[in-house]
Amino acid sequence: ELAACREDLEAIKKEFGLLEPERGHMDEEGIKWRFGGVPDYSLTNLKYLQGKTKNHAAGSLELIVENLVKTWEMERSHKVDPNQHRSVDPEKFQVGANGWKKYNNQEANAVGNYNVLLSGCPAQLYDSSQITWEESHEKFHDAFAAFPWELLEVFSGPPKVAFTWRHWGEFTGTYEGNKGQGELVEMFGFGVATVDDQLRLVDVEIFYKPETFLEVLRGERPAQELSGGRDLLGAAAAAGCPHLKALKN
């Protein structure tokens, strides 16, 4: 299956001149890989190229920031030792969402990105204090074969980078007993990342509405309520906003 994904990925890159995401620091020697070896992102990269709404130019700040975030996600998900995470300042790094708890590098690595970014959710929807790193990844990997991420717009340059983003995937798996029907599930949000002179992440704050996303996965809301950022802006605003219309076309 991965070989077929790789073949399709190379074909779409050649036909449309698209750039595959670059996740740095994957070829260093001595890395302690969580799952035994270097991860293969062929499926995620293919779904990213097929479903993204932006095409940032090579060398642009947008593409640099997007690849930095993808590198951070890769390292946090696959490198066991947080001191081997090159995308962050290991001593100063901290991350949080929506004004909830801020986690330092060691803490964030111990609980995992899902638990960090969902830490303030109502416990009946997601109780991060009762879910391990492994359990959190299993929950969402069971729901989506791939869940690509793209940067939409950058509003300020280094050292404090403000940006909007989109996450999406086809809900073909199962989440807490609810079986998806292949519907498109989207998330939109805003982020502010402070970087150092080596373009390493020092502080990351993410803003979004995870409650609606979780309710969709549980079958309590239709996926259309997330489409085009409706959960953030309201259905009327999302329908009338030219920018969001362009994203959906």
Side-chain angles (χ1 to χ4, degrees):
E1 182 180 351
L2 285 176
C5 284
R6 191 75 232 169
E7 186 175 326
D8 291 343
L9 184 58
E10 293 302 326
I12 197 172
K13 285 164 57 180
K14 182 177 181 180
E15 181 177 358
F16 298 103
L18 298 176
L19 296 174
E20 188 173 357
E22 294 182 7
R23 296 170 180 84
H25 314 295
M26 294 180 69
D27 56 357
E28 293 184 17
E29 295 183 3
I31 296 297
K32 299 175 183 177
W33 294 106
R34 189 177 298 274
F35 302 107
V38 179
D40 191 320
Y41 278 90
S42 296
L43 176 59
T44 300
N45 288 352
L46 176 62
K47 293 296 184 181
Y48 162 81
L49 292 184
Q50 290 174 332
K52 71 190 182 86
T53 61
K54 292 290 184 177
N55 192 26
H56 302 304
S60 65
L61 178 59
E62 289 81 3
L63 192 61
I64 290 170
V65 174
E66 183 175 83
N67 283 332
L68 173 59
V69 172
K70 289 180 183 294
T71 298
W72 169 59
E73 180 280 327
M74 177 275 297
E75 292 190 316
R76 193 64 73 194
S77 297
H78 293 277
K79 292 183 177 181
V80 176
D81 184 355
N83 294 311
Q84 295 183 328
H85 295 187
R86 309 306 182 204
S87 60
V88 305
D89 180 326
E91 299 300 323
K92 298 179 180 179
F93 178 75
Q94 57 180 358
V95 57
N98 296 340
W100 300 331
K101 173 181 167 61
K102 275 287 186 76
Y103 293 78
N104 64 32
N105 194 39
Q106 298 287 339
E107 292 171 331
N109 190 65
V111 302
N113 275 355
Y114 293 116
N115 282 334
V116 167
L117 299 177
L118 294 167
S119 65
C121 283
Q124 66 270 23
L125 277 180
Y126 190 96
D127 189 351
S128 61
S129 68
Q130 300 299 316
I131 300 174
T132 66
W133 190 105
E134 292 76 14
E135 290 168 342
S136 69
H137 277 246
E138 185 176 334
K139 283 172 74 74
F140 294 103
H141 287 190
D142 284 348
F144 300 100
F147 199 53
W149 184 92
E150 68 172 333
L151 181 143
L152 297 176
E153 303 283 350
V154 169
F155 296 89
S156 62
K160 182 170 283 191
V161 183
F163 57 92
T164 49
W165 54 267
R166 170 179 173 256
H167 240 319
W168 74 98
E170 296 166 345
F171 185 18
T172 55
T174 302
Y175 183 86
E176 294 186 355
N178 180 50
K179 179 72 171 67
Q181 303 301 315
E183 62 268 43
L184 176 66
V185 176
E186 295 181 290
M187 277 198 302
F188 291 81
F190 190 82
V192 180
T194 301
V195 298
D196 63 13
D197 57 3
Q198 300 177 54
L199 280 182
R200 298 181 304 176
L201 296 167
V202 176
D203 186 277
V204 176
E205 184 78 19
I206 299 297
F207 301 93
Y208 72 126
K209 291 181 69 173
E211 296 87 356
T212 312
F213 169 70
L214 294 172
E215 289 167 354
V216 167
L217 294 187
R218 288 158 63 114
E220 298 170 0
R221 291 176 181 263
Q224 290 87 340
E225 291 195 17
L226 292 170
S227 178
R230 292 187 183 193
D231 61 319
L232 296 179
L233 301 175
C241 174
H243 177 65
L244 288 175
K245 282 184 177 179
L247 291 182
K248 293 183 284 185
N249 292 335

